[in-house]
């Protein structure tokens, strides 16, 4: 059994939160001890009184600002993190990097108290750097690279991401590819229609369902999906947008002329059973991102047997290659979708076949079991090397 101090996010809901919750739950199922350390105490910058540290297995660190994308820790957060690690005495620290200034202090902090450190580097990218968003994200990689080079190991999701970091000075020996995984026994095609399934179906109303599920932000390029949906004949079909984010009010206003018979804004959804039911009902999942890492929502859609259309940003094109879905370029997304959507609308048997191939791909490569087994091996090897 390994005692893992997991540094990650529990809120607000995003892919990093899903990754941390699922991974730590599965580690505990397999008998490992997990102490979850996360930012969960809004802090007054002038407050000098130290916070009470939560008992094992969870520690809450103080923060000033927290969003889906980044966190600004309280000035005393590093000290409280160190005290927590000294008290918990884990075998290894695993940082699911949260885009926080504290990320850069972790290698030195763990070195001082003699703890092996591994990290998962989530930021999205476009390996071809084809747009302004990708260029901006490249700066994040450049900023993080010197710090990542000091970790014992860095988990990445694909060869292109590994190559990008290697070009920025993070040696290939430091990096290990462990793709995201999903629980295929939860995210599966519907067998028996549950009460929750029927409730969701009733709320969605009549018609065939097409879906986007994720954060509503510029880099997700949802505007391109909405433009193509508006310009395409989609009788008896609804596009459902599940999620929240900074672009939601603007997009809702811009596409307010699309009635509920054509477009539904579902909003944020944190209930797992509801999210599964929505995905099971949907025939097609769209992910038109300009940049990506390895989308958990994409894997969840594939696992439920929902046909998937995604750009080749990040590792998503690799996930869908050889017929497991439809891969499009990050350039001219509207034009491509205007061609693809009518085919998907007019040929439901084709979308069904795509969904089946996607499910097969997940079972073959992207299950949580494979992910956890790779993590266990990494932990044991890292502990052994750092404590000869």
């Amino acid at each position: 059994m390994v005692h893992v101090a997991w540094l990650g996010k529990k809120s607000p809901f995003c892919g990093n939160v899903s990754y941390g919750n699922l991974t730590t739950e599965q580690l505990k199922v397999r008998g490992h001890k997990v102490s979850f350390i996360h930012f969960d105490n809004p802090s007054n910058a002038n407050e000098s009184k130290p916070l009470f540290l939560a008992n094992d297995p969870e520690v809450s660190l103080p923060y000033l600002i927290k969003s889906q994308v980044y966190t600004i820790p309280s000035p005393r957060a590093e000290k409280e993190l160190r005290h927590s690690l000294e008290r918990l005495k884990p075998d290894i620290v695993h940082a699911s990097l949260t885009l926080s200034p504290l990320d850069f202090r972790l290698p030195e902090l763990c070195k001082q108290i003699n703890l092996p450190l591994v990290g998962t580097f989530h930021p999205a990218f476009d390996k071809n750097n084809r747009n302004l968003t990708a260029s901006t994200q490249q700066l994040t990689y450049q900023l993080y690279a010197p710090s990542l080079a000091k970790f014992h190991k860095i988990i990445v999701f694909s060869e292109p991401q590994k190559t990008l970091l290697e070009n920025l000075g993070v040696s290939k020996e430091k990096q290990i590819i462990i793709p995201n995984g999903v629980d295929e026994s939860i995210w599966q095609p519907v067998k028996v229609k549950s009460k929750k399934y029927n409730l969701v179906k009733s709320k969605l109303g009549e018609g065939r369902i097409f879906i986007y599920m994720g954060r509503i932000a510029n880099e997700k390029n949802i505007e391109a999906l909405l433009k193509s949906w508006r310009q395409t004949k989609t009788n008896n079909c609804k596009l459902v947008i599940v999620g929240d984010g900074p672009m939601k009010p603007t997009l809702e206003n811009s596409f307010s002329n699309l009635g509920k018979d054509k477009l539904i804004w579902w909003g944020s959804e944190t209930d797992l059973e509801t999210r599964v039911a929505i995905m099971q009902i949907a025939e097609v999942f769209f992910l038109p991102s300009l940049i990506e890492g390895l989308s958990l929502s994409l894997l969840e859609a594939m696992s439920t047997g929902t046909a998937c259309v995604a750009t080749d940003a990040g590792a998503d094109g690799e996930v869908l290659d050889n017929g497991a879905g439809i891969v499009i370029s990050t350039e001219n997304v509207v034009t491509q979708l205007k061609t693809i959507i009518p085919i998907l609308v007019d040929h439901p048997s084709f979308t069904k076949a795509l969904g089946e191939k996607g499910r097969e791909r997940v079972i073959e490569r992207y299950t949580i079991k494979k992910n956890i087994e790779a993590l266990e091996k990494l932990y044991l090897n890292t502990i052994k090397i750092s404590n000869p």
Side-chain angles (χ1 to χ4, degrees):
M1 183 184 78
V2 175
H3 180 188
V4 182
W6 184 278
L7 277 66
K9 295 179 72 172
K10 287 206 166 184
S11 66
F13 187 77
C14 61
N16 196 328
V17 172
S18 294
Y19 174 82
N21 288 343
L22 177 59
T23 306
T24 54
E25 286 169 9
Q26 291 297 316
L27 284 169
K28 287 185 281 189
V29 165
R30 293 172 71 92
H32 302 289
K33 182 178 180 180
V34 178
S35 299
F36 206 123
I37 303 173
H38 61 112
F39 293 99
D40 199 32
N41 271 318
S43 175
N44 184 330
N46 297 317
E47 184 182 352
S48 58
K49 183 181 178 181
L51 291 174
F52 173 74
L53 290 175
N55 289 328
D56 185 16
E58 187 169 315
V59 172
S60 300
L61 296 177
Y63 67 89
L64 301 178
I65 299 171
K66 185 170 64 169
S67 74
Q68 286 182 318
V69 179
Y70 63 86
T71 302
I72 304 298
S74 162
R76 69 182 187 278
E78 180 178 346
K79 181 179 179 180
E80 296 200 10
L81 172 58
R82 178 177 181 136
H83 288 169
S84 299
L85 292 174
E86 289 173 336
R87 174 174 60 84
L88 293 168
K89 296 180 172 61
D91 299 310
I92 193 167
V93 177
H94 186 157
S96 179
L97 293 165
T98 57
L99 298 189
S100 155
L102 196 55
D103 294 345
F104 303 104
R105 296 289 302 138
L106 291 175
E108 182 62 28
L109 190 154
C110 288
K111 183 180 180 181
Q112 289 172 2
I113 53 181
N114 196 32
L115 285 175
L117 172 65
V118 301
T120 302
F121 194 53
H122 297 273
F125 68 100
D126 176 14
K127 59 183 180 292
N128 295 314
N129 209 24
R130 290 170 287 198
N131 53 68
L132 181 60
T133 303
S135 300
T136 303
Q137 198 64 37
Q138 178 86 355
L139 296 176
T140 302
Y141 276 71
Q142 291 171 341
L143 182 65
Y144 263 84
S147 178
L148 298 180
K150 298 176 184 177
F151 281 61
H152 285 92
K153 283 285 185 179
I154 287 294
I155 296 168
V156 294
F157 302 124
S158 66
E159 284 291 348
Q161 187 185 16
K162 184 177 181 180
T163 300
L164 176 56
L165 284 173
E166 188 178 353
N167 290 338
L168 294 171
V170 184
S171 70
K172 61 182 179 182
E173 289 76 21
K174 287 271 185 181
Q175 301 182 64
I176 180 169
I177 297 174
I178 302 180
N180 284 335
V182 293
D183 189 337
E184 77 283 5
S185 66
I186 294 175
W187 296 93
Q188 62 176 325
V190 63
K191 294 179 180 178
V192 178
K193 294 179 180 179
S194 66
K195 182 179 180 181
K196 182 61 66 77
Y197 180 99
N198 289 328
L199 284 172
V200 171
K201 182 64 178 173
S202 175
K203 185 174 179 180
L204 291 173
E206 296 298 322
R208 299 163 62 194
I209 301 300
F210 293 60
I211 188 174
Y212 166 83
M213 184 181 290
R215 200 161 58 87
I216 303 178
N218 274 325
E219 66 270 17
K220 296 298 183 178
N221 202 24
I222 302 163
E223 184 175 10
L225 172 59
L226 292 168
K227 283 181 177 179
S228 58
W229 190 258
R230 182 166 60 186
Q231 296 172 26
T232 306
K233 187 177 180 181
T234 53
N235 291 339
N236 198 37
C237 297
K238 297 176 184 176
L239 176 63
V240 181
I241 307 294
V242 182
D244 202 352
M247 287 297 295
K248 185 170 182 282
T250 300
L251 292 175
E252 279 189 294
N253 183 62
S254 298
F255 293 90
S256 59
N257 61 328
L258 288 175
K260 290 186 177 181
D261 60 329
K262 193 160 184 176
L263 174 64
I264 296 176
W265 295 93
W266 184 277
S268 179
E269 182 56 70
T270 59
D271 180 70
L272 175 61
E273 193 179 352
T274 300
R275 296 205 321 274
V276 171
I278 295 171
M279 201 72 86
Q280 288 173 330
I281 292 166
E283 292 184 36
V284 179
F285 170 84
F286 295 104
L287 188 60
S289 303
L290 297 171
I291 55 173
E292 271 293 346
L294 173 50
S295 169
L296 266 174
S297 292
L298 174 62
L299 295 178
E300 290 163 355
M302 293 168 69
S303 191
T304 58
T306 305
C308 293
V309 180
T311 56
D312 60 347
D316 292 350
E318 179 183 322
V319 170
L320 293 177
D321 66 3
N322 297 322
I326 297 175
V327 182
I328 62 177
S329 170
T330 59
E331 299 177 289
N332 302 317
V333 171
V334 173
T335 301
Q336 294 174 84
L337 287 177
K338 283 169 62 179
T339 301
I340 292 167
I341 289 172
I343 296 172
L344 298 172
V345 169
D346 293 341
H347 301 280
S349 59
F350 173 59
T351 64
K352 186 174 185 299
L354 273 182
E356 290 170 353
K357 289 180 180 178
R359 169 79 177 174
E360 290 169 4
R361 176 62 54 79
V362 166
I363 301 302
E364 176 191 343
R365 299 184 190 174
Y366 300 107
T367 63
I368 190 61
K369 182 175 184 292
K370 288 182 171 65
N371 178 282
I372 297 299
E373 287 173 348
L375 266 187
E376 288 174 324
K377 185 177 180 180
L378 171 63
Y379 289 161
L380 293 173
N381 288 341
T382 305
I383 292 168
K384 182 179 179 180
I385 291 170
S386 61
N387 296 293

